Amino acid sequence: MRSMGKSLMPGLAALIGSVGLVVLPAGSAHADITTPLPLRNFQHVVVDSVHRHLFLSQGNDSYNSILVTDFNGKTVATIGGQTGVDGIALSADGGKLYAALRADRAVSAINTASLKEITRYPLGNSNIPADLAMQSGKVWIGYDDGNGTGGVGEIDPAASTPTFTPQDALGNWSGAPRLAADPSGSGALIATDGNSAASYNVSTDPVTVRVQPKGLPNCGNMTDIAVAPGGGEFVLACGAPYAHYRYRTSDLSGAGSYASNAYPNAVAIDAKGDVAAGISGWYEPDVYVYHSHGDTPLNAYEFGGPEWNLANRGLGWSSDGTKLFAVLQNLNTGALSLRVLNTPALTVSKLTLVGTSSTALGKKVSITGTLSLGVGKPPAGTKVTVVRSLAGSTSTAKFTASVAANGGFTVTDTPKAVGAYTYSAVYAGDAGRAPAQATRKVTITRIPTSLTLTANASTYNYGGSAKVTAHLGTTYTGRTLSIYAQAYGSTTKKLLKKAKVDSHGNLAVSSALTRSTTFSAVFAGDVRYAPVTVTRKVHTRARVSASLSGFYSSKYYGSTKYRVYHHTHTLDVSVTVAPNKKGQCVKLQIQEYYQGGWHSSLTTGCGKLTSTSAIRGHLGLSQATGGRYRVRAYYVQGGSDTSNVSTYGSWLYFSVVK
């Protein structure tokens, strides 16, 4: 029985720590495909590499068909009429599939090209076939005699009248034994009933019994079995202890093991001897892949956490060892799916690239890469090839980088043109390691251009002339600038001047201002230096004009002309502002001269300018007898109108007499 607590975790941690194992998540480069299977139960999977088909049986008297899929798990056909189909086996040439039909007490033969049954071999009313293996040209059958005793029998399809023949000399079993045979045809046949195992050489007549059924060291609850090519060894998936153990077919002595983890339940061996060791574990990797007699796994695969487990006997290899097929079952729903793993017998290799993503022409590009392997470190002398390509060009550059012991490498480069570059790194792999590749996109931009724009003042009088000077730094071929002016409120820029800069890199222009204005200098760029625009905003005062009326004479104090008012009269002030500031504010500021200086006397509230941008004000003078005064208008910038800054007009001088 399987323990479902966290006690599994320490064993997993110890294993990973001891072998340096990298667990590949579902969806990684080697876990290529997961496909739901239209099955309600699963018993056995057989791989037909000739037609690139998988055959899957359901192992229950209620399910009477064999599912056929392609190598991606897509349904190709359903072979019906296979009542209670259990074990299945493929002939050595791949031309026929044999199926154990429990309910019909028979073995059927199916043409693997047409996917049709072509013949059927009855076992007799009491014999119930359960498992099959092909060896030495014969179909070997593990069966139950109907009375609780199991045995091994054979059918020779090449005989003139093929019949089922029990082989009593192969021992008595506590139920129908599972069978496995040497895929290379040496004659080795192994049987197990879950607690005992036996070894035979069926290439002789009569069959040579190497070892009669007996228990094995380090193996209880024998769930699956596979014979290594050549027939000298076999591997058992034993429910306990937690490893896949190797045994010699000659005497069933122990020959080593492949480390896995809790509850081994599946094993498959490819034509080169690579071993896939599967477990029914919760949190561990579900499958470990080893080279023959290897001590360290090449790869390990986790199939989606505790919900998805590898099904019992749910592993199969393609004949060339490039694909490993795993049947998975959801523990919550019972749903079945197929996981297809590519090149599992090659250690996973992964390349990653980081570094420069964008830089200016002439600057160094530095690409740092890491080659990581599923197991171990890159061997000394490992090289990675990096090819630089430019979008829109057929020109390339090639770099060879040496990989350090930690997997790191660096490539530096200085491209000679702007554009979108791709640096493609390739690790070729070797006999035991898969190739890998990665790319890094790098944009080479034009060199930033130095451009400044200055003005000879920050604020100007209305109608005054602003002089702006642009200074262009180093460029390659382009030395022309354009200078524009955009007055406040305008939607267009007016070109003031377009010309080459002088020998000092300067281009100057003057422009009369009536409102605040933004100047811009534009360099269009050249093949090496980037385009750039810089701006300079200057402010413009309003023009405030004022005049006095109501005086009766004029008089000079020094060089200053004063208007003379009688104290019984009114001082009239007329103010106009340009540009038109209809509705905006104008104030009057009045100062009095005494004790040798001017002192503030009065500032009026806002008066609103009329539609003609004018306003008139009146001041009573009865309290100002004998004094000397001056007055000026003050335009106050208001609201959202920032076209002109607040501006004082000129002082107007007057005196009051009795």
Side-chain angles (χ1 to χ4, degrees), residues 236-276:
L236 275 168
C238 310
Y242 301 153
H244 285 65
Y245 286 88
R246 304 191 337 254
Y247 299 90
R248 298 178 181 89
T249 58
S250 59
D251 57 5
L252 300 188
S253 61
S257 66
Y258 298 103
S260 54
N261 215 301
Y263 316 116
N265 69 336
V267 61
I269 304 176
D270 72 5
K272 300 187 296 295
D274 299 316
V275 176

Side-chain angles (χ1 to χ4, degrees), residues 129-156:
D131 203 23
L132 303 178
M134 295 297 301
Q135 188 67 187
S136 301
K138 295 181 180 181
V139 183
W140 296 90
I141 304 152
Y143 69 96
D144 187 311
D145 67 1
N147 296 309
T149 300
V152 177
E154 52 93 3
I155 297 172
D156 183 0

Side-chain angles (χ1 to χ4, degrees), residues 9 30 60 92 101-102 104 125-126 196 212 224 249 283 287 303 374 428 430 437 449 466 525 579 625:
M9 297 302 291
H30 289 315
N60 188 294
L101 308 182
R102 297 173 55 91
D104 284 352
N125 291 334
S126 62
S196 300
Q212 286 285 14
D224 198 9
T249 58
Y283 301 105
V287 174
F303 293 147
D430 55 29
Q437 62 182 16
T449 304
T625 303

